[in-house]
């Protein structure tokens, strides 16, 4: 099974695997709770959506632009 986007591509957006996992997990929880509150089902799994947000650059670490 191939992972898309690849971990190496995601690590171009985030400095460490630990930070990547924390970002994706946090965003996935937020997406899940928002979907549950609104009553609308998600198109994909919340983790997949969060990973795609990281890959596209839509989800970034707070304070990362200061570096």
């Amino acid at each position: 099974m191939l992972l898309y986007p690849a971990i190496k591509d995601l690590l171009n957006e985030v400095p460490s695997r630990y930070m990547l996992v924390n970002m994706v997990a946090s965003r996935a929880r937020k997406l899940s709770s928002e979907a549950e509150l609104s009553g609308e089902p998600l198109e994909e799994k919340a983790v997949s959506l969060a990973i795609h947000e990281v890959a596209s650059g839509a989800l970034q670490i707070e304070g990362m632009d200061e570096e």
Side-chain angles (χ1 to χ4, degrees), residues 44-65:
E44 293 183 60
K45 292 183 179 181
V47 172
S48 296
L49 292 171
I51 287 173
H52 289 295
E53 287 182 8
V54 171
S56 69
L59 182 60
Q60 297 180 351
I61 303 168
E62 293 177 13
M64 187 77 164
D65 55 348

Side-chain angles (χ1 to χ4, degrees), residues 12-49:
N12 290 334
E13 301 292 327
V14 182
S16 71
R17 288 176 185 241
Y18 177 78
M19 198 172 290
L20 174 64
V21 169
N22 282 322
M23 282 177 54
V24 169
S26 176
R27 180 63 178 152
R29 282 191 299 271
K30 186 173 181 181
L31 288 169
S32 293
S33 66
E34 289 172 356
E36 189 174 331
L37 289 174
S38 69
E40 295 181 24
L42 295 172
E43 297 172 8
E44 293 183 60
K45 292 183 179 181
V47 172
S48 296
L49 292 171

